[in-house]
Amino acid sequence: MKRRIFSGIQPTGKLHIGNYLGAIKNWIDLQDDYDCIWGIVDFHSMTVPYDHEGMSSRVLDCAATYLAAGLDPEKCELMIQSRVKEHTELTWILNTVTPISWLERVPTYKDKSKRFSDNVNMGLMDYPVLMAADIILYKAEAVPVGEDQLPHLELTREIVRRFNSTFGDTFPEPKEIVSEGALVRGLDGQAKMSKSLNNCIYIDETPEDIWKKLSTAVTDPQRVRKTDPGDPKVCNIFSLHQLFSSKEDIGYCEHGCKTAGIGCIECKKILAENIAKELAPIREKKTELLHNVDYIKDVLNSGIKYSKKIASKTIEEVYQKIGTTYPFLK
Ligand code: AQP
């Protein structure tokens, strides 16, 4: 029996290279060895203001991106969170063992309640509990995530411990599998690359657009003129080279930057070419897939069916544990 893992991405917009490196690429590497369920976590995406009319096309876009990037439905399951109602059912139950104080200290809650201060809703605060439910509903033993998600996962373990000690051993404590592109910064060179921050290179970006975005991206702020030597360690463009470029290109740019042998434009051009080379096949495959929506529909329906089977079994067990089976009704 393969060990099970679950992870998901919220369809808040087109997926970017942070999602690709921090999540999807890692998922592809894991799909041979684990029983994998990859979610499109649409209920999560409702915790900040969103365009409800565009939800359906964002979910479809997300599924097409998963498949185009290399997730193989022969090896893993793709599903939509809201289609497996047990996710929200378990969230409610977990809410009853989760102190509010645990949620108030979550970094993304603090950040998003500042950024969306006119809509600090219960869902935003409850986001980590829904995430815990997503994972433990499938009794997933591990969760592949980027570094930004580690506090959420720690909270999941705390919730599991609280549930198990209150109602008896039910859920395993999920471990993290941290990906290589653990935290991709945005084109501003500061914040995490985020769909909601307009600092992204999207996975389906054309070579022209990749270049347009990189050409104005922030580099080492101390390097004002081409003749100033730069410091690759503080340059986000160099961090991206490490994720997309060959050893030779990385060495060439590192040396050229430190010695002022090359300027930032040349360094960015090499990066733009390397990113475009990696993303081009995904973009092409995605366009092809979006012409075959029936195929995407079949993949999702099959993943939803698979997930529901496991989810309903877990909920049945949870009902036993929490005392809501009511034999007198039978
Ligand atoms: N910049 C990033 N670097 C590395 N990994 C990242 N991930 C997201 N951004 C980066 C990884 O992608 C998975 C889920 O992402 P998500 O879209 O569900 O949530 P998010 O982290 O909130 O992503 P965004 O783009 O920042 O969305 P918005 O702006 O809508 O909140 C996770 O595995 C995460 O680690």
Side-chain angles (χ1 to χ4, degrees), residues 121-168:
N121 59 78
M122 282 299 293
L124 188 61
M125 187 181 239
D126 212 27
Y127 185 110
V129 183
L130 179 56
M131 181 169 154
D134 295 339
I135 299 164
I136 68 176
L137 187 57
Y138 301 105
K139 301 206 174 180
E141 290 179 35
V143 186
V145 282
E147 228 169 60
D148 57 310
Q149 297 289 329
L150 292 178
H152 288 160
L153 205 53
E154 186 48 44
L155 196 63
T156 297
R157 288 190 283 264
E158 285 181 274
I159 293 171
V160 165
R161 286 195 282 272
R162 181 64 74 94
F163 185 95
N164 286 348
S165 71
T166 311
F167 298 111

Side-chain angles (χ1 to χ4, degrees), residues 9-10 12 16 18-19 112 146 148 184 192-196:
I9 296 182
Q10 36 172 354
T12 34
H16 51 73
N19 298 129
K112 288 198 172 164
D148 57 310
V184 179
K192 180 188 106 158
M193 187 171 283
S194 273
K195 296 181 224 91
S196 55

